[in-house]
Amino acid sequence: MARRPLPRILSSGNAQIARSREIARTAADSATDVLHPLITITRGLRRLAATARAKWAATPKERRGPLLILVAACVLVVALVPYGPLLALVSLMGAAAWKGRERPAVKTGPDDAETERLKALYEALVPYFSVPEDPAPLFTHGGDWSAAFSDFAFDDGRPTRLRVKYPAYFTDGEPAARARIEQLLHAKSGRGREYLFDWDEEANQLEMSVLPALPTTIAAQRFVTAPGETVLGFTDAAAVQRTVPVLTCDGPADAPPVLWRTGPRSTEPHLLVVGQPGSGATTLLRSVALQALAYGDVLIVEGGGTGEYACMTGREGVLGVECGLAGALTSLEWAAHETERRLIAANRARQAGHPAPDDTRRPLWILLDRPSVLGHLAAADGRTDPQELLQVPLRHGRAAQVTVVVAEQFDTVELLDETVRSHTRARVVLGPASPRQIAAVLGAEPRTTPTPVVPPGRGYARLGTGPVLRLQVPATPDPYDDATSDPHRQAVLALLPPRPPSLDDDPGPPTESLPVIRVAPPAVPAEG
């Protein structure tokens, strides 16, 4: 049976329909071009009306009457002014045209390069966030990355913020599993930046963000703190709940400090500082000494013998600056007897019902820089290791208002005495270090990724069992060093206590001076 041909109207209808659609589209575009000003003004009037309606709804009822009177007065003034209605109409049309203008489209999604970077991150996480038994895996090779990634941001093609949703069966409670994911994201997102990883175990989400560099513009100065509080440095604003006013190179500002509290009620009465050579450990001890001299006495024992504390020799409140083995042993032996004397005097006062004597309540700070060097010299000479003389101040220093600060380098930290390690619960790590090295000193790994290159004074701090905080030590260089800038030199010299009148004319550090120390009389044994 032969097929009948279709009617002509049906066979040629597609071409006519397409031609009609093209004519209609052209007419619509022409009408839009002609009526574009009217459309813009109409859109603007609608937005102005919506704004006025929202303002009226937000106005309290007791203020609507005066507002109506004010509007009526303005309308009357405009009506009485020559050409007032015309000017008001022109102003209204101008405001409507400005309000109804078309705004440029806002970018809402990643571009091609950013999409490729997100795909690469997604594919790299597949082996860690998927198992063969999962019937509906969130991470699969060639899968949809938008279901796993959200709230992302980029800077120069590298992610600065990324929220990752991972399966519930991932072992996010194990530090090793977390470390693998953090190392992978750090490597794929770009090295040389410090990333913060925030794990939300309840929601099975990981947020990665790039932390800004801590400011290095804060120099040594008199910080606003209470007695017994010492500023070790400054950290991120979200890590602490307090700020202190400081002076920076750019002017006054408020900075979040890392406060270390000492005294009888402190749970971390002693401090241990570990760092690489040139990382700023001596700078931190110098900063602590300047703050302690405001309300206490300081005894400094320098094992390196480089003269970094020569500017404090002979100052009021500085009991001594020792660089040799004999002077260090004598000073630390006196510190041990002084601790015992304070304990005996305070105990007698309590038994008699009297307050503790004033000389037992004045804080005494013992700063020991590089004790391993002195220990090596003592072992070669057959003498007592200086660290053994620290046992009494470390164990009983909190009750006697005696604080011990020890600084050592990474390559000799294993030479520290067990008493020093167990009683220095406040810890600071300065300079470039791996997460394993930081965890060995602080007892916990940081939540961020350490960078290989850091400025002097940059590191991490942990007070007792608290969180690991980023730290930037205030610039406190040696004022007698030729490489020190004049503003920093003047800042440190302004904080130093004055010398006695006999030493006021000394223009610089002594070349060969004997150690200066006030030795107290031997302790009197307590009566039975």
Side-chain angles (χ1 to χ4, degrees), residues 325 329 371-386:
L325 177 60
L329 294 176
S372 61
V373 178
L374 297 176
H376 179 73
L377 296 177
D381 200 17
R383 307 183 69 174
T384 305
D385 191 340

Side-chain angles (χ1 to χ4, degrees), residues 200-233:
D200 188 357
E201 300 180 8
E202 296 182 1
N204 298 322
Q205 291 184 354
L206 167 63
E207 183 176 357
M208 180 191 69
S209 57
V210 176
L211 292 175
L214 294 177
T216 58
T217 57
I218 303 177
Q221 55 192 278
R222 190 70 66 193
F223 300 111
V224 181
T225 56
E229 293 181 345
T230 303
V231 176
L232 298 180

Side-chain angles (χ1 to χ4, degrees), residues 497-510:
R499 285 192 174 95
S502 59
L503 299 177
D504 281 341
D505 298 334
D506 188 7

Side-chain angles (χ1 to χ4, degrees), residues 322-364:
E322 301 294 344
C323 301
L325 177 60
L329 294 176
T330 302
S331 302
L332 295 179
E333 185 178 359
W334 170 85
H337 290 304
E338 174 66 11
T339 304
E340 295 174 351
R341 185 196 68 81
R342 292 187 175 208
L343 291 175
I344 295 172
N347 186 29
R348 288 178 176 176
R350 283 193 295 267
Q351 291 179 358
H354 300 296
D358 293 339
D359 59 347
T360 64
R361 291 185 295 177
R362 181 172 175 82
L364 172 61

Side-chain angles (χ1 to χ4, degrees), residues 6 11 52 58 103 147 216 238 248 309 323 364 433 451 460 467 488-489 505:
L6 294 174
S11 61
R103 294 176 174 82
T216 58
T248 66
Y309 305 94
C323 301
L364 172 61
T451 54
Y460 297 90
H488 288 171
R489 178 182 294 105
D505 298 334

Side-chain angles (χ1 to χ4, degrees), residues 130-161:
S130 63
V131 293
E133 296 82 8
D134 191 352
L138 181 62
F139 285 82
T140 58
H141 290 291
D144 184 14
W145 58 266
S146 60
F149 296 160
S150 62
D151 192 18
F152 47 81
F154 288 83
D155 183 16
D156 294 335
R158 296 195 298 176
T160 58
R161 187 179 67 257

Side-chain angles (χ1 to χ4, degrees), residues 125 128-129 164 166-187 195-208 435 444-449:
L125 291 173
Y128 302 94
F129 286 152
V164 182
Y166 55 87
Y169 52 76
F170 176 72
T171 56
D172 51 4
E174 299 179 1
R178 288 190 177 191
R180 286 194 297 267
I181 301 300
E182 293 175 1
Q183 182 180 5
L184 174 64
L185 292 176
H186 179 206
Y195 295 89
L196 172 65
F197 296 96
D198 187 8
W199 292 83
D200 188 357
E201 300 180 8
E202 296 182 1
N204 298 322
Q205 291 184 354
L206 167 63
E207 183 176 357
M208 180 191 69
E445 292 188 359
R447 297 171 55 193
T448 61
T449 55

